[in-house]
Amino acid sequence: MRRAIELAEQGVGAVEPNPPVGAVVVDDELQLLGEGAHERFGGPHAEVNALQAAGEAACGATLFVTLEPCNHRGQTPPCTTGIEQAGVSRVIVATADPARHGDQSGAERLRSQGIEVDLGLLQDDAQRLIAPFTKLVTTGRPFVHAKWAMSLDGRIATRTGDSQWITSEESRAVVHQLRGRMDAIIVGIGTALADDPRLTARPPGSRVPARIVLDSRARLPLDSQLVRTARDIPVVLACGSHAPCDATEALQRAGVGIIACETDAAGRPQWSALLDELGRRRMTNVLVEGGSEVLGSCLDAKAADWAHVFIGTTVLGGRDSLSPVGGEGCARIADAFDLESAVFLKTGKDAYVQGRLAPSDS
């Protein structure tokens, strides 16, 4: 099953909005007969690829698969049918499919055909792997990754606003890899005005993320890099209903998409409304890159699911230098977010910490 999970990980970024899945076929002595992964959206599922690799040897064999085989026809035929036709005698599944497509699940179908099914081997690992898919199919919203880079003393810029570069080239390369598996990258208008970013993955990844700017008053300049490249790579403005019509119309003529969102008390687009809309567009993973107030409002709204934090070795100091996460914040330590299942890595001379953001009431 660990090998099946490794195979599944290869599909992250290429298969969404489907889940990444891996499968391994073995004989009674656990000798490998075939293996496969779901490699791209619309392509054969992992079970099909593994069974094809095993060929006739799959008859009477055991199939290990990270996600319950599907029992419905979507882009491809049901995997249960392929398993039955191959003559597999036993299927070991890491985790159940959180998406229900009919009255009978994949496991129920296989059992009804006399195939032994065991569920739950390395379940936690498999559920972490499909967490973005699970959120999309159960809540209708994408999985939100919050990312920031900061100095050793927790600052994202000096008191004068200078911020390039706090972290190393190696850390920036990891950020580009992250971008390359996202459906969208979200920043605030402050970041767009201050940095004039492109918000692209370099080199390109398996996905081309839309660039989304939270801009309640439609202030994004027509000569910005984002607008000038909008016809090649999607740019979407999330603005308030009171944004000037002449500004939004000019941006639309330049190729920028507009989402009119409900706004909060500060006039910013509400996270709930934005994420509902992105979910309707079948976005599975979105990356929130800042600035400070955008990240703060995201956490205040408990909208973030995962954190990617890059910590440099510099110390900036200064009472007026900026924190990476603004917003209201918590009033008590007991109310703080906790980073669950945290992973600590080294990127160049920096530390890279990532994990699930768990609010205190979860």
Side-chain angles (χ1 to χ4, degrees), residues 2 7 23-24 31 36 47 61 81 85 89 99 101-102 108 119 143 150 159 161 173 233 249 265 272 278 311:
R2 292 198 185 281
L7 291 166
V24 172
Q31 297 298 308
E47 300 96 315
T81 301
Q85 292 174 345
S89 62
H101 299 281
E108 291 166 344
L119 182 67
F143 195 82
M150 64 184 185
R159 58 182 173 80
I233 303 173
E249 290 171 359
S272 57
L278 299 185
I311 307 169

Side-chain angles (χ1 to χ4, degrees), residues 217-276:
R217 291 180 288 156
R219 293 186 291 152
L220 187 65
L222 293 174
D223 62 352
S224 65
Q225 292 197 87
L226 288 171
V227 175
R228 286 190 284 110
T229 58
R231 297 195 185 280
D232 300 316
I233 303 173
V235 174
V236 178
L237 217 63
C239 58
S241 58
H242 299 296
C245 290
D246 56 347
T248 57
E249 290 171 359
L251 287 163
Q252 286 178 306
R253 287 194 295 271
V256 175
I258 301 291
I259 298 175
C261 292
E262 296 178 20
T263 54
D264 59 21
R268 294 183 296 250
Q270 289 186 358
W271 282 100
S272 57
L274 175 62
L275 295 178
D276 284 342

Side-chain angles (χ1 to χ4, degrees), residues 10 14 22 38 65-66 69 85 177 232 252 274 294:
Q10 297 173 11
H38 184 27
V65 61
T66 59
Q85 292 174 345
Q177 291 171 8
D232 300 316
Q252 286 178 306
L274 175 62
V294 167

Side-chain angles (χ1 to χ4, degrees), residues 171-192:
S171 291
R172 297 195 293 278
V174 173
V175 171
H176 282 286
Q177 291 171 8
L178 277 174
R179 288 178 174 180
R181 62 181 179 87
M182 296 288 150
D183 292 302
I185 300 167
I186 301 174
V187 298
I189 184 60
T191 295

Side-chain angles (χ1 to χ4, degrees), residues 114-128:
I115 298 173
E116 182 181 351
V117 179
D118 297 310
L119 182 67
L121 179 62
L122 297 185
Q123 179 173 270
D124 290 347
D125 293 335
Q127 288 180 345
R128 276 194 292 272

